Each structure stands twice: as structure tokens, then as C-alpha cells.
Amino acid sequence: MIRLRYLRFWWDILRTTHARAPVLTGVNLVIEIVALLAGVGMALALRAIANGATAGDTPEALGGAVWAACAATAALVTTRLRDLIGNFLVVDKIGPGWLADRITYEVAAIEGIEHMERGDYLDRIGLLRTSSWELVAGAWTAVRTIFSALRLAVVLSLLGEVSPWLLMLFALAAVPIWCDARARGQLNRAQISTAEQFRLQRHLFELATDVAAAKEIRVSGATDQLLEHQERAWHAVVHERFQARMRSFAWRLLGWSVFTMVFTAALAIVMVQAAEDRSTVGDVVMVITLAASLQPTIQAAVGQLTGTMSAGLHIEPYLWLRDYAAADRARGHGRLQPPQVLRDGIEFKGVSYTYPGTLRPALDDVSILLPAGSVVAIVGEFGSGKSTLIKLLGKFYQPDGGRILVDGTDLADLDTEAWRARTSAAYQDFGRYPHLTFGEAVGLGDLAHLTSPSHVADAIAAADADGIAESLPAGLDTRLGRAFGGVDLSEGQWQKTALARASMRYAPLLFVLDEPTASLDAPSEHAIFTRYMERARHLAAHSGAITVIVSHRFSTLAGADLILVLDKGALIEHGSHRQLLKAPGRYAELYGMQTAAYTSD
Ligand SMILES: Nc1ncnc2c1ncn2[C@@H]1O[C@H](COP(=O)(O)OP(=O)(O)OP(=O)(O)O)[C@@H](O)[C@H]1O
């Protein structure tokens, strides 16, 4: 279904295309107009030639020949130019150029990250990653549909001029269009019902060719099983889609057969008229010429209409993103500036959060004060809510119960950009940025000092990453990652790079280290924790900064001022290492288990 909002979207795209490439847009429209005139002009020119020749009227016949030559040339040129200018220049320029930028902006400018983590939203974002070209091409397909309809109307009115009987072809054009819609319905339904198997097949293929799973698959000898699964999934997809294709072929055949039969009958009427001298030979030639062009014209119109009707597949996710981003902006984010220096700290007051689509709260009624200048460690088993707490501190999600206060001001009322500018963080799922050099990948942590050698050097030293810079062939200027011809790093080196990036800001109010040493060896881990404890004290003295460390390794956390123990989203214990060890609780139990494991080693 074509909806009003699709028309508005296409109108927006065409206006933007015109604003960004006025000449190309103009040329593109001229091509469509010339193509329309050339098709009709050819039929009229041939009529003139035939009438001129049979009536011995040489000027008419010659004039017709010149027009026919012009129309043939115009048709040839416009066909070639339509591909070049319409598809390559106009659509490429606006689609992967302007619109892709706009999609990236909308995705990146949304305050939270729910749209990047929630399954159903992620599907739409995933589709948008590759659909900017189709979105713009869809607008031009809609334009071509209008031109095709115009061409059809002109052709039919010329036929009607010869014989009103031929006008019934106009109504008859609905038959192949209707049959085509049925055929499309068959294909769409098959596409949807096999989507899961199709995704499974793609997933298994990626799994089999992905380096991350390569070792496990080889060691477990799971290749054959994987192939068998993949083959089964693909067979199910192919079988159902093939059946749907056959059914859709039958519908299309039916539509065109009915059309061709009635068209042949109409043509016979014109022949009879000509035999009875009620039509000229030129009329017959024109009707045959138009007849020849009618089927491709209707077929093109049907094809374009089909493309236009199924444009929703790409437009819906885009309009959803636009609305989602607009709603996010309209929600009105905080305007208050964060304090220069933290005096009291960050207080959680009955904070709860449940991820959309889930039933159990990931954080459940958490109340605690993280004092200014303190080092706070968060521990707990997998899935206990540690990362969720960190995400709420970064304003990636808003609590759905309770409040987080920064020196008494609700975090929700703080300007998000300003708050994030006073936050430094190394997350466990850190980014890798293969388009950057090592120096830039570190400097990214504080854009204002991206190219400051002293800032970058300090950050690298803080993360104990000097060794990486020294080992790289071009030092700081070495491009990272193999994706773009750079040097690949080990997992630990990537993590140290992320840590260095998080160390770029000199005066954050909040410094988050989420599993900062998960990929590091024991000596590196020890060195880094010692450094970051020192850094935490330095930042605390400077700006009252709070350092929050999430870790599963209890031995590294003894120096923290406050340890929070989470269990299934609830804060079950808190206190210093000593206090918690004295109390016979979860922390003491987990700490005992870890120490025993290391000692027995
Ligand atoms: N994006 C999400 N959507 C839905 N549920 C989520 C999402 N992220 C986390 N959860 C769920 O919320 C709960 C808390 O997850 P969280 O990642 O905060 O735990 P964690 O303590 O950091 O775990 P880990 O130690 O494994 O990193 C878990 O039950 C998890 O399955």
C-alpha cells in the first residue's frame, strides 16, 4: 500500500535531490519527458510515412521518416542516459551520500542506546544500514511510475482515436496489474514465512566463515553438523520460495494471456475497419507499432508500481527511525550544567530499571550514595546488573523508577552532552576503530585534545600501553586493524588501547572502568590496577571524581573505598573490603571461593 507519508517522504527526497543536484535532477526529468515523447513520436511518424507512401505524398512520407529517425535516436539516448544519470549519478549522490549521513546522524544522535540493543529495533536499524540507495531509488521509481502512466494514457488515447473499441484495452490493463498483485502476494508471503530459515542459513554461513568461532568449530569437529544444518535451512527456503515463484508465474501468465487475447481481437477490428476503408494504412501501422510498445509499457508500469508498492519495506524503518529520533529530541533532555567539582557525590535513590520486552528488573530499587572522590567497586555474578548500573550513569537508559542525583541534581536534568564530556569510560565491549591510527584511536577519548601529543602520551602511559606504541611499525601513526590494511593487535593490546582512550580526559567527574582487565595477563592487571587507583586519587583531589570499577576479580578490589554487591539486580551488600569480609555475606563467600581457587593453583 502506498501511504500518504510515503508520498511525503518521496517529495522530501526529490526536493533534497533538486537542492543538492539541480542540474542532474533537471536532466533526469528531461530524460523522462523525452523518453515519453520518443515512444509516441515514433508511432505517429510511422503513421505519417505509411499514409504519405500510400497517398503518394512524398513530403509527408519524408517528414515522417525524419521524425522517426529523431524518435529512434532519442529513445536510444534516453535509455542509456537514464541508467547513467538517473541511477548512478542522482541516486548514488543522494542515497549513499546524503541520506546515509542522515541515517547515521539520527542513529547516533539519539541519547540512549535502546534502539541499538533491542531486538526488534535492531532489525530495523540493520535494514537501514544498507537501504539508503533503495530509499532514494524508490522516489525516482515513483516518478517513473507517473511517466509510465502518462505514456500509457497517451498510447491509449491514440488507439481510441483509431477505434473506440481499442479503449477497452485501458480497462483491460487492470487484468495483468491485478494478476501481478496476486503474484507479488505469493512471493511476499513466501519471503516472510521463510525469513527465519533464511536468517538461520545466513547465520550458520557466517558462523562457519567467522574467525572467532573457527577454532572451536575445528576442535569440536562440528563442521559437518554445521553444514548439514545450513543445507537443511537452505533447502526449506528454496523449496517454499520455488513453489511461490511457480504460483506467481502462473498468475502472471494468466494476466498477460487474457490481455494478449483481447488485444489481438481489438487489432482484428482495426484490420476490418481498414479493409472497409474506415481507417488508413497509416492507422494500421500506428496501431501495430503502439501494440508492440503497449506490452513493455504496461510491464514497465506494473514493475515500477510493484517497486513503489513494496517501498514500505525500506521506508517504514526509516520513518520509524525519524519518528523515534524526533520523539527522543522532543522529550526535552536536561539543560543544567554538571558541577565543576563534585562535592557530595552521586546518589541512587530507589533506582529500578527493566529492559523493554523483559519482565525481571535488571536493577531493583537500588539506593546508595557514591561519595565524591571515592573509588567504588561493583561486584556480582553474571547478569546481576553491574553493566546496567553503569549504563544508567552514562544516561544510555533512563531509570523507570527512582532517581540518580549528582550533587543533589537529577541526572536526567543535566545536559547529556555536558555530562558525558565530564565522564571517561572504558567499557567491556569497547570499540576498535580500524579507520584510525593508534594515536588517533587513543586521542578519540577527548576530541578537544585528539592531536595533542602530550595528552595522548599521558593517556598511553596511564594505560601501561607504551609497549604497544613502541612495537608498532610506525608508532602512533600506525593504522590499526587488518580491515583496512593496518596492523592487528592482540585482545589485550586492544583493551589497553581502550583504557588509554578512557584516560584522555584530565578532569572527569566520573571515571568508569567496566571489566578493564578482562583480556590482560596477571602482571598487566596488577600494574593497571595500581596505576588506576593512583589515578583515581589524583582525579578525586582535582575534581572530586568518582571512579567506578566493575570487576570479577576480587583480589584487585581490596583498595576500593566502597564495594557494592549486586545480586539479580538488587544491592544486597555494600561497604569496604574489610567490612564486607567481617560480615558473613555474599561478598565474603565469593572472595573466599576465589582466594581458595588461586591458592589451590
Ligand atoms: N539490552 C538488554 N535487553 C534486555 N535485557 C538485558 C539487556 N542487557 C542486559 N539485560 C539483562 O539484564 C540483566 C542484567 O544484565 P547486566 O548486563 O547489567 O549484568 P552484568 O552484571 O553486567 O553481567 P556480566 O557480568 O555478564 O557483564 C541480565 O538478566 C541481562 O540478561
Side-chain angles (χ1 to χ4, degrees):
M1 269 291 284
I2 299 175
R3 302 185 175 165
L4 192 61
R5 50 205 220 114
Y6 295 1
L7 294 178
R8 278 205 216 105
F9 169 75
W10 287 327
W11 181 241
D12 271 358
I13 290 287
L14 294 174
R15 271 195 346 209
T16 306
T17 310
H18 179 251
R20 306 199 134 238
V23 177
L24 287 179
T25 309
V27 172
N28 216 10
L29 287 173
V30 169
I31 289 172
E32 293 301 331
I33 295 169
V34 173
L36 169 69
L37 295 178
V40 179
M42 176 60 92
L44 291 173
L46 290 178
R47 176 165 73 173
I49 294 172
N51 282 343
T54 48
D57 184 347
T58 313
E60 190 185 354
L62 274 178
V66 171
W67 278 113
C70 292
T73 312
L76 192 78
V77 172
T78 50
T79 309
R80 301 259 183 273
L81 283 184
R82 189 187 276 147
D83 262 2
L84 180 71
I85 297 190
N87 291 343
F88 292 118
L89 293 180
V90 177
V91 178
D92 277 357
K93 198 167 174 149
I94 306 301
W98 172 79
L99 190 61
D101 283 356
R102 206 163 134 178
I103 291 172
T104 312
Y105 172 77
E106 297 282 31
V107 171
I110 293 168
E111 185 182 271
I113 53 169
E114 186 183 331
H115 61 299
M116 307 184 87
E117 291 195 329
R118 199 173 138 174
D120 50 343
Y121 290 179
L122 209 53
D123 279 350
R124 298 174 206 186
I125 302 275
L127 200 64
L128 282 173
R129 278 198 191 116
T130 51
S131 65
S132 56
W133 197 92
E134 280 82 358
L135 281 166
V136 176
W140 281 99
T141 304
V143 171
R144 285 188 193 139
T145 309
I146 295 172
F147 275 98
S148 289
L150 270 177
R151 188 172 306 141
L152 211 55
V154 174
V155 167
L156 288 169
S157 63
L158 285 174
L159 291 176
E161 196 193 300
V162 175
S163 163
W165 282 104
L166 291 175
L167 275 181
M168 66 184 179
L169 290 173
F170 191 70
L172 197 71
V175 176
I177 291 177
W178 183 78
C179 287
D180 196 79
R182 308 282 312 199
R184 197 160 17 93
Q186 295 284 343
L187 292 178
N188 284 351
R189 275 192 293 280
Q191 198 89 359
I192 291 166
S193 68
T194 54
E196 195 177 316
Q197 289 295 319
F198 185 72
R199 244 185 308 128
L200 177 65
Q201 189 274 338
R202 291 278 300 267
H203 169 73
L204 292 171
F205 176 76
E206 276 161 24
L207 201 66
T209 53
D210 177 34
V211 66
K215 293 191 284 299
E216 281 180 10
I217 291 173
R218 278 158 183 73
V219 169
S220 61
T223 312
D224 286 346
Q225 195 210 31
L226 210 65
L227 280 177
E228 196 189 307
H229 259 88
Q230 192 185 330
E231 213 173 289
R232 223 179 305 137
W234 188 235
H235 179 74
V237 173
V238 169
H239 180 70
E240 195 166 339
R241 291 191 182 177
F242 178 73
Q243 303 255 323
R245 268 173 202 279
M246 291 308 286
R247 283 194 298 273
S248 90
F249 171 73
W251 274 112
R252 289 195 168 116
L253 190 67
L254 176 72
W256 285 110
S257 304
V258 172
F259 182 83
T260 310
M261 275 188 303
V262 180
F263 188 79
T264 312
L267 218 58
I269 294 172
V270 180
M271 297 298 179
V272 172
Q273 278 187 356
E276 292 171 358
D277 272 350
R278 282 188 285 133
S279 299
T280 64
V281 176
D283 285 340
V284 176
V285 171
M286 186 182 78
V287 168
I288 291 174
T289 312
L290 290 176
S293 76
L294 198 60
Q295 188 182 351
T297 305
I298 293 181
Q299 227 158 8
V302 169
Q304 284 152 356
L305 199 67
T306 305
T308 309
M309 306 263 277
S310 42
L313 181 70
H314 298 287
I315 297 184
E316 281 299 343
Y318 178 74
L319 294 181
W320 165 82
L321 174 67
R322 222 175 53 177
D323 293 348
Y324 187 85
D328 180 70
R329 282 191 289 272
R331 243 195 318 274
H333 305 300
R335 299 238 168 279
L336 300 177
Q337 290 300 306
Q340 271 310 308
V341 172
L342 265 187
R343 307 241 172 252
D344 302 328
I346 300 176
E347 186 173 9
F348 282 67
K349 275 195 156 178
V351 172
S352 297
Y353 183 74
T354 305
Y355 285 98
T358 64
L359 297 175
R360 196 172 64 77
L363 270 191
D364 194 2
D365 198 16
V366 172
S367 294
I368 186 78
L369 172 71
L370 316 183
S374 61
V375 175
V376 180
I378 309 178
V379 299
E381 290 180 42
F382 294 110
S384 55
K386 304 180 293 295
S387 296
T388 305
L389 191 145
I390 299 283
K391 287 185 208 167
L392 294 185
L393 281 174
K395 294 189 78 174
F396 297 121
Y397 289 96
Q398 297 291 338
D400 42 36
R403 298 194 302 158
I404 301 173
L405 304 172
V406 177
D407 270 2
T409 305
D410 197 327
L411 181 60
D413 294 333
L414 291 185
D415 180 284
T416 304
E417 223 171 284
W419 171 245
R420 288 181 184 159
R422 298 297 306 278
T423 305
S424 288
Y427 296 105
Q428 51 174 301
D429 47 353
F430 50 83
R432 293 178 190 227
Y433 313 105
H435 62 297
L436 299 178
T437 63
F438 178 63
E440 289 165 342
V442 172
L444 194 67
D446 185 3
L447 283 181
H449 299 102
L450 176 72
T451 52
S452 157
S454 59
H455 269 73
V456 173
D458 285 352
I460 289 174
D464 193 26
D466 315 71
I468 304 175
E470 282 157 22
S471 69
L472 291 172
L476 293 182
D477 297 327
T478 310
R479 189 177 283 270
L480 297 185
R482 251 180 277 159
F484 299 105
V487 173
D488 214 359
L489 300 181
S490 71
E491 200 58 26
Q493 288 173 321
W494 279 118
Q495 182 150 41
K496 280 190 177 180
T497 310
L499 274 171
R501 185 161 53 247
S503 311
M504 277 292 288
R505 291 200 169 120
Y506 282 171
L509 296 176
L510 176 68
F511 186 41
V512 173
L513 296 165
D514 184 4
E515 296 277 353
T517 54
S519 311
L520 302 183
D521 52 31
S524 296
E525 180 183 36
H526 180 72
I528 282 188
F529 267 104
T530 311
R531 262 164 220 251
Y532 278 102
M533 281 297 180
E534 267 171 38
R535 185 179 168 81
R537 302 301 168 205
H538 172 75
L539 294 176
H542 192 263
S543 55
I546 298 170
T547 297
V548 178
I549 305 175
V550 174
S551 180
H552 282 284
R553 303 196 197 174
F554 287 41
S555 53
T556 53
L557 302 175
D561 303 303
L562 175 64
I563 297 172
L564 313 182
V565 186
L566 292 177
D567 184 41
K568 298 187 186 71
L571 177 63
I572 53 167
E573 286 170 35
H574 62 92
S576 68
H577 176 68
R578 276 164 178 256
Q579 288 168 336
L580 290 174
L581 276 192
K582 271 190 208 151
R586 190 82 185 122
Y587 180 83
E589 186 191 336
L590 290 171
Y591 182 80
M593 273 157 56
Q594 272 198 7
T595 321
Y598 281 120
T599 329
S600 66
D601 276 356

